[in-house]
């Protein structure tokens, strides 16, 4: 029996609790629900609800409209003082680290794509839990959202649409010396310029347990449609 992805079920429950008819939600509205649910850490508020009444409709929405469009798009948003990309300098985490943050490509350049209303997925996601300036800018409040046009034809991109796509990275690029299964992003960078998690990939992949010969792992803490550039992209 195939288990339903945790975030998929959590979004369905959030929709049922809020009484939000999917037919009345735009793709931007639905992405906000997904992003807010992905950001939440802790027990879900409110009574236990059955997610099944909206599951089929939610899956249909993820298969059409903006969610079915190929991403990343050529126009990519990032937070920086200057519009040009920073220098990409990947580093490996400490061997004993168990931080969720250390699961992700440390030192990568992170970007996100446009939503149908022209805003970026990242700024929309961050604004749900704090202003983009305070959340995405981190310790540097002078950072602002910048847009660049990336030459996607020149980029080797590994796309994550399902948990199986992340499982490939765990299997083919294992991080040596890690206490539990992690991806060696420096090794990935030898074959790919970027790893992209689509909005659908977020729903179907984040927190899904993946069994490996070194134990069980999962994609954790990405929380948004995003691209982690492992090498500096060519801009247009």
């Amino acid at each position: 029996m195939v288990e339903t992805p945790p975030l998929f079920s959590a979004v369905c429950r959030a929709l049922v609790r809020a009484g939000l008819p999917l037919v009345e939600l735009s793709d931007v509205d639905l992405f906000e629900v997904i992003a807010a649910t992905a950001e939440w850490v802790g027990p879900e508020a409110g009574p236990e609800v059955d997610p099944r009444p909206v599951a089929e409709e939610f899956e249909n929405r993820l298969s059409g409209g903006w969610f079915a469009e190929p991403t990343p798009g050529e126009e990519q948003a990032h937070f920086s003082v200057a519009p040009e990309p920073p220098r990409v300098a990947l580093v490996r985490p400490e061997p004993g680290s168990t931080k969720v943050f250390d699961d992700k490509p440390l030192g990568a350049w992170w970007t996100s794509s446009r939503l149908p209303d022209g805003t970026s997925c990242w700024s929309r996601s961050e604004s749900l839990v704090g202003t983009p300036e305070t959340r995405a800018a981190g310790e540097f409040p002078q950072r602002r959202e910048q847009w660049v046009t990336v030459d996607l034809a020149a980029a080797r991109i590994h796309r994550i649409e399902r948990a199986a796509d992340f499982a490939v990275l765990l299997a083919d690029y294992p991080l040596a010396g890690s206490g539990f299964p992690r991806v060696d992003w420096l090794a990935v960078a030898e074959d790919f310029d970027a790893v992209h998690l689509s909005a659908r990939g977020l729903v179907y992949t984040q927190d899904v347990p993946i069994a490996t010969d070194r134990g069980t792992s999962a994609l954790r803490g990405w929380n948004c449609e995003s691209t982690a550039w492992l090498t500096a992209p060519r801009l247009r």
Side-chain angles (χ1 to χ4, degrees), residues 56-135:
E56 183 177 356
E57 189 177 0
F58 180 38
E59 188 159 22
N60 289 339
R61 286 292 300 272
L62 292 175
S63 300
W66 174 81
F67 293 97
E69 294 177 6
T71 55
E74 287 190 336
E75 290 185 307
Q76 288 290 293
H78 67 108
F79 278 80
S80 177
V81 176
E84 60 270 9
R87 186 174 69 90
V88 176
L90 296 177
V91 295
R92 291 184 173 94
E94 293 295 325
S97 172
T98 59
K99 297 177 182 177
V100 172
F101 185 80
D102 285 347
D103 283 0
K104 302 193 289 186
L106 302 177
W109 181 53
W110 291 84
T111 65
S112 69
S113 304
R114 281 194 190 275
L115 285 160
D117 66 351
T119 60
S120 74
C121 293
W122 196 7
S123 63
R124 178 73 66 166
S125 173
E126 298 292 356
S127 66
L128 297 172
V129 287
T131 66
E133 288 74 20
T134 57
R135 287 267 302 181

Side-chain angles (χ1 to χ4, degrees), residues 37-236:
T37 306
E39 281 278 359
W40 178 251
V41 177
E44 296 179 15
E48 184 64 30
V49 295
D50 185 355
R52 288 176 296 179
V54 299
E56 183 177 356
E57 189 177 0
F58 180 38
E59 188 159 22
N60 289 339
R61 286 292 300 272
L62 292 175
S63 300
W66 174 81
F67 293 97
E69 294 177 6
T71 55
E74 287 190 336
E75 290 185 307
Q76 288 290 293
H78 67 108
F79 278 80
S80 177
V81 176
E84 60 270 9
R87 186 174 69 90
V88 176
L90 296 177
V91 295
R92 291 184 173 94
E94 293 295 325
S97 172
T98 59
K99 297 177 182 177
V100 172
F101 185 80
D102 285 347
D103 283 0
K104 302 193 289 186
L106 302 177
W109 181 53
W110 291 84
T111 65
S112 69
S113 304
R114 281 194 190 275
L115 285 160
D117 66 351
T119 60
S120 74
C121 293
W122 196 7
S123 63
R124 178 73 66 166
S125 173
E126 298 292 356
S127 66
L128 297 172
V129 287
T131 66
E133 288 74 20
T134 57
R135 287 267 302 181
E139 299 176 357
F140 302 95
Q142 67 270 33
R143 289 181 178 172
R144 291 293 181 268
E145 187 173 51
Q146 313 276 358
W147 287 91
V148 296
T149 302
V150 178
D151 184 357
L152 293 180
R156 303 166 300 166
I157 302 175
H158 181 84
R159 290 173 169 83
I160 299 176
E161 296 285 343
R162 298 278 179 170
D165 300 322
F166 185 63
V168 168
L169 297 178
L170 285 167
D172 292 352
Y173 306 94
L175 179 61
S178 178
F180 60 94
R182 269 186 168 148
V183 175
D184 185 342
W185 297 108
L186 275 83
V188 176
E190 296 179 7
D191 295 327
F192 295 99
D193 299 305
V195 175
H196 173 70
L197 179 69
S198 69
R200 288 192 304 180
L202 172 66
V203 172
Y204 290 123
T205 306
Q206 183 151 297
D207 296 327
V208 173
I210 297 173
T212 76
D213 58 5
R214 295 165 291 130
T216 300
S217 187
L219 181 143
R220 306 186 297 169
W222 287 51
N223 296 346
C224 187
E225 182 274 350
S226 52
T227 301
W229 294 91
L230 311 178
T231 66
R234 181 185 300 172
L235 302 185
R236 297 175 57 185

Side-chain angles (χ1 to χ4, degrees), residues 1-5:
M1 178 179 178
V2 178
E3 294 290 334
T4 303

